[in-house]
Amino acid sequence: MICYTISRLRPIMVSTLSAYAALSVQELHVSLSGAAILDGISLELMPGERLALLGESGSGKSMTALAALGLLPSYAQVAGKVAVNGHDVTHEPALSRPGPARPAMVMQDTLAALNPLATIGYQLIQPLRRNGLGRVAARVGACDLIERVGLRDPEQILSRCSPQLSGGQRQRICIAMALACKAPVIIADEPTSALDVITQAQILRLLRDVTTAPGGPALLFITHDLHAAAHLCDDALIIDGGRVVEAAPMQRIVTAPQHAHTRRLIDSAARCGIACERLYA
Amino acid sequence: MSFLTVRDLSHSYRGARRMWGRAPDLPVLQSLSFDLAAGERVGIVGMSGSGKSTLLRCLMAMGRPQSGEIRCNGRLVVMGRPASLRWYRRVVQYVPQDPVASLEPRMTVAQLVAEPLRRLRIDCDPQSRAQEALESVGLGSQYLSRRPDELSGGQAQRVAIARAIAMRPAFLMTDEPVSGLDMTVRAQVVQVLRDLSQTHGTGIVMVAHDISVVAALCSRTMVMEHGRIVEDRPTSEILKAPHHPHTRQLLEAAPPLVAAA
């Protein structure tokens, strides 16, 4: 089976690498009620790599994420292979998967992602306790994580509930929770769409920092924002109608798009006032 | 003469309750004064919590400011009963941020666009005017019988714009009309607004946190920070030489812009 490795972007035999990949998706077909949603998606994400998944609404970006997370509806028909950290989890729903084969998710709607009735401390300490830490060590670990994601006064943050935090603070907490899970891969689905531009830049920098750190997780960044993708990722897959239409380094996607659909995305960005040719100036 | 005049507009929200004493007031708008000329395209940018949406609510008479006044063609605009604001709604219309939530799910697209024409007692055939408005935003007759849950995000946003422009208003107030839409649909919505302004001379106020969309559409930009307008100049000048540090911060976080070249 042939697919593009994201690190080198040349066709290779997938089976040689997938044992080491943080996330490996091979020829994934998903259909819901007879309608094909994904039509042969393949991608490989090695530890520490950052890959952007770009496409229009309804192109299949989020469905690829749901397949990787094990959150597809029970009636979905799935063919192909999804492996996380070397474990084949194609037909495993999220909760049946072993711990090391569970990707972490960072969502757009942080209010919906966090429990509004539980304190941040409770929600952040749970995954640390599950990883075997004692009560005190987990609290210290939670404070460390809060400082690592750039928030001050961790003890006060731990005692608050999610509606008492700003959107940017909540997104930082979601990233801290993803790190607390020690997940091999973070899947971020439009994590900056609901934030203002300055907070967006801070969150993108944070995602870059946590994935660049030694032993940091890989990142699958789902977005339709070319600027955010160019800021964060080295490589990109363009998806249209459930298929990968172009796989290339991000700089080439922006400066020399090959496929007609990619060119249309770049043209649309230009009509919205973004000078794509100067993203890499 | 300016179309809309805003003078000393101030508003504050009540802060969190305290055990003793009165809850503190949190100022959201601090003595804002500006004029909007007919047909002008104005962008209001700023971070979350800077007061953009509160200002828009006051401009739409959906909230009563604590002090200050808004005049439209010299006539005072005061929040009140729908009937007392009918004259204002005929000339100033609103496009909300979340179009799907703003469209009544049980009505068809044709009913949704024709409804305000009836409510505001516009002298026309509501059905044909609705069809005309929908065509001007690129939605053909096949969409007339659809309901909101059968529309994509971009189509729902265009229905919301059609509903607002069916009245042929002089000004359109839009609250983040393209955030949440993908780049292709965003370009379509920007084009619809630009065509509307160029062909009918409709003025546009666009609240956005994304300065790139404002740069693509608006000739004048207001930058808000902590309830104040810190910079109000032509967009091209702001992009080339921002004066205020907050404007510089916003521009640094934004992608490189075509208009700034």
Side-chain angles (χ1 to χ4, degrees), chain A residues 4-235:
Chain A
Y4 287 99
T5 57
I6 305 316
S7 52
R8 291 168 203 85
L9 292 160
R10 65 167 190 258
I12 55 117
M13 294 301 291
V14 164
S15 54
T16 57
L17 267 181
S18 48
Y20 307 102
L23 174 65
S24 164
V25 176
Q26 296 168 23
E27 285 294 317
L28 184 67
H29 295 259
V30 172
S31 50
L32 297 176
S33 313
I37 309 293
L38 298 183
D39 190 10
I41 297 273
S42 298
L43 62 92
E44 290 271 0
L45 198 50
M46 303 305 284
E49 280 187 336
R50 294 185 294 265
L51 169 71
L53 211 53
L54 287 159
E56 294 177 351
S57 304
S59 58
K61 307 189 294 290
S62 297
M63 200 53 82
T64 309
L66 291 181
L69 288 161
L71 294 175
L72 286 171
S74 55
Y75 57 87
Q77 291 174 309
V78 182
K81 186 181 171 192
V82 177
V84 180
N85 222 2
H87 299 261
D88 183 352
V89 287
T90 316
H91 299 285
E92 295 279 335
L95 293 178
S96 318
R97 294 180 178 184
R102 290 185 185 180
M105 178 77 174
V106 176
M107 298 198 229
Q108 178 183 351
D109 186 354
T110 50
L111 264 183
L114 296 168
N115 183 348
L117 299 177
T119 61
I120 298 298
Y122 178 80
Q123 296 178 73
L124 199 50
I125 287 168
Q126 284 302 309
L128 293 170
R129 295 288 313 267
R130 196 160 289 186
N131 282 341
L133 291 183
R135 193 183 296 269
V136 177
R139 193 165 184 90
V140 172
C143 288
D144 284 348
L145 279 171
I146 287 177
E147 282 175 349
R148 199 171 151 199
V149 296
L151 293 173
R152 276 175 283 178
D153 204 353
E155 281 294 339
Q156 201 197 5
I157 298 275
L158 285 182
S159 65
R160 290 190 184 176
C161 293
S162 61
Q164 295 172 306
L165 302 177
S166 71
Q169 285 175 324
R170 282 198 297 269
Q171 199 56 285
R172 285 173 195 270
I173 295 297
C174 289
I175 294 170
M177 284 172 72
L179 294 175
C181 297
K182 292 208 167 76
V185 54
I186 293 180
I187 298 177
D189 192 355
E190 308 267 7
T192 57
S193 299
L195 305 173
D196 62 56
V197 279
I198 294 175
T199 318
Q200 274 183 17
Q202 290 167 352
I203 294 294
L204 291 177
R205 205 174 305 132
L206 173 62
L207 282 171
R208 175 178 273 274
D209 290 347
V210 297
T211 48
T212 314
L219 177 72
L220 183 64
F221 184 56
I222 297 174
T223 186
H224 54 246
D225 184 348
L226 277 174
H227 174 233
H231 197 76
L232 186 60
C233 300
D234 307 318
D235 302 296

Side-chain angles (χ1 to χ4, degrees), chain A residues 55-57 193 195-201 224-227 264-265 268-275 278-279, chain B residues 47-48 180-184 186-187 190 194 209-210 212-213 216 246 249-250 253-258 260-261:
Chain A
E56 294 177 351
S57 304
S193 299
L195 305 173
D196 62 56
V197 279
I198 294 175
T199 318
Q200 274 183 17
H224 54 246
D225 184 348
L226 277 174
H227 174 233
R264 205 169 75 219
L265 280 181
S268 300
R271 280 190 282 144
C272 290
I274 299 171
R278 288 196 284 123
L279 277 174
Chain B
M47 286 180 70
S48 303
L181 302 179
D182 68 45
M183 212 46 98
T184 320
R186 192 178 282 206
V190 168
R194 190 182 289 126
H209 64 249
D210 182 0
S212 61
V213 184
H246 187 64
Q249 207 181 358
L250 285 173
L257 303 173
V258 175

